[in-house]
Structures are given as structure tokens and as C-alpha cells.
Amino acid sequence: MTARLFEPLTLDGLTLDNRILIAPMCQYSARDGQATDWHMMHLGQLAMSGAGLLTLEATAVSPEARITAWDLGLYDDGCERALARVLDAVRDYAHIPVCIQIAHAGRKASSEAPWTGGAQIPPEHPYGWRTEAPSAVPHAEGEVAPHALDAADLKRVREDFVATAKRAVRLGIEAVELHGAHGYLLHQFLSPLANKRTDQYGGSLQNRMRFPLEIYDAVRQAVPAGSPVWLRVSATDWVEDGWDLEETLALAQALKAAGSPALHVSTGGVSPKQAITLGPGYQVPFAERIKAETGLATIAVGLITEAEQAEAILREGRADAISLARAMLYDPRWPWHAAAELGAQVRAPKQYWRSQPRAYKDLFKDTAFGQR
């Protein structure tokens, strides 16, 4: 029986070799939004992993949309040229489609890098700026409150998302994920903990969903038909009276009606008060419920580390794909090892074909080798 993890997955007009997705992982190593040699090394090794899809880290739509001053961006020609250099090199040697996670950090912008504490940087600091959000409510007590976006600001942000999407299309990126999770701007609109607006973008569930859905529609129109566009969501805030699974189900139905083929299901991030119960696959039940009730393809994530664990999630119909982040950083050949364990095949660069273990003679696809 073919391992479910290594069956192809089709999202709109894009067919992936398998159901292992490399999740977006911020590297905090860009310069003025521009990809660097670190991205060449980082994405290069992940592109050779044999996964079905490589997702770029959260990529900011403007300088103020960055989480930190060292975030990757795609908002000007310099950013586009730098990312083109990296992607061109990766594509020369690795056969893997690329997805971009387009993002705006909202009130969680202007931060230190995690390895220097991750705290908010004041606007007057050389590496800080005034953040913007649905409402003038800071992420945590004692932080500088963000600027509340007005109608002109909302139009600007929509246009920024579209401009970044168009740059991604020019770069030949095959799929787009909009970052609506982990407490960043689109999640801030969704969550009543961050959204205190009294206009058409706040209050009721329909109003709180309005701006993220406007962003989805605008980006969907900017991306060619057949190239999938979906959202990453936090299915719950893990805080009483916050965004929850029932509201996520309503959003999922709206996104499905708007043309989304999938939903990437995570949780949390909008409030320091969150109370999360961690454990293997702890976020999978949210993906399972969304898949069951909406019919959307769901991408599961969260402490999924073992091949058999991932295979069981798919085989039991709890999700359609598995997204790996930390596990992939720890073991950039995770898909190779999973294929060996599950009796499947995976694609590897020809330069590495000779590494195929004797015990797994058919591990790598389409190999050929001869030597005098």
C-alpha cells in the first residue's frame, strides 16, 4: 500500500509530489528586506529535502510590515532582485515548487530578533518604528500602542499585498499563502482581543472577517488562475472570549466560497495571555474539524515529528498535508528518512544519488548512475 504521505496532492492547478510541506520559518537575516547569502544556504538545503512544497518565510509587504528590521520583504525592486538571485540558484539544482507567505506584522512589528529577546523596539530607536493595527491596542502591557488604521491606510495595505503578490508572480513563485495567524495583522482583525473597531471592520464576526477576506480577494485576482492562494490561520487564540474554532469554521467557509483550495491550520499568537496545552499533534484536531465540516484541504502542523505520526494523521483522514518547521530544521532530510521508513520514494538531487543506502535501493526517484 502506497504511503499516504507520499501520494501527490493537487491544489488548484499545482500538483505536489507528496504531502510534506516545508512551513514558513522566519530567519531574521535579511538586510533592508533583502534576501542574503544566509537565505541561499537555508533555502538551498531545504529545497533538496524531497518535500512537496517549499514555503518562504513570512515576507513583508512593506518596511513597516516586518516583524523585525531583519525580516525578509518583497516590497521594492531591491527585495525582488535579491530574492530572484536566491530562487534562481535554488531552481538550478532542486526540483521543488515554491510558495510565498505574504505577511504584515501589524502591532507585533518593530521587534527585536528572538535571539536578542524579541521585545518591542520603541519607534524612536534606529531599528524601530510606529506600528499599525486594527485598533490602538498594544500587544502587551507597557508597549507603545499602534496607530489605528483608517480608511486610507486600509487601502494602502491592500495595495501593498497586491503589489507583493505581483512581484511573487514575476519571480515564478507557484503558490501564495496569506499570513492570517500567530497574532499578525490579519489575525488582529479577526480576533476581538485585538480588534476594537466600531466601523464595518469591527464588532460582529462578519465585520472582523471583512478585511482579511478583502485581502484574499485582491490577492486572488492578482495571481494567475491555477496558482493556489490560501490562508494560514490560528484556529483559536487559546484565550477566553478570543477568536475560536467556530469562528474559524465560518472564515473557512467564506474562503472556500472565494476560491481557496486549502487552509493551513495553526493556533495562538495574538495574546500573551494564551494558555496552550502542548503535546504531539496538539493542533491536528482543529485541522480535522475544519476538513470534516468544510471539505477544504487542510494542512496540519504542530509537534508532528515522526513519519508514522504524520502518516497516521493522513491515513485517518484528519488532514490532507503535513507542514513541518522545526523538525525540518533539525533534520533537513526528514522526507528522505520518512520515505525510507514508509517504503516510499522521494526526489533527490543527482549529485546525491550515490548516498542512497544499500537497504533502500529504490528510495530516490528516476536515478541513473554509471562510472568507468
Side-chain angles (χ1 to χ4, degrees), residues 54 72 215 232 279 282 341 360:
L54 170 60
L72 188 65
I215 295 291
R232 190 173 198 183
Y282 71 102
E341 184 177 335
Y360 305 108

Side-chain angles (χ1 to χ4, degrees), residues 68-106:
T68 77
W70 306 276
D71 276 29
L72 188 65
L74 188 54
Y75 47 74
D76 62 25
D77 291 346
C79 291
E80 188 172 338
R81 283 193 300 270
L83 190 54
R85 169 180 168 266
V86 170
L87 292 179
D88 286 349
V90 168
R91 288 174 175 138
D92 268 350
Y93 300 104
H95 177 88
I96 187 170
V98 175
C99 175
I100 185 172
Q101 187 188 64
I102 301 179
H104 190 306

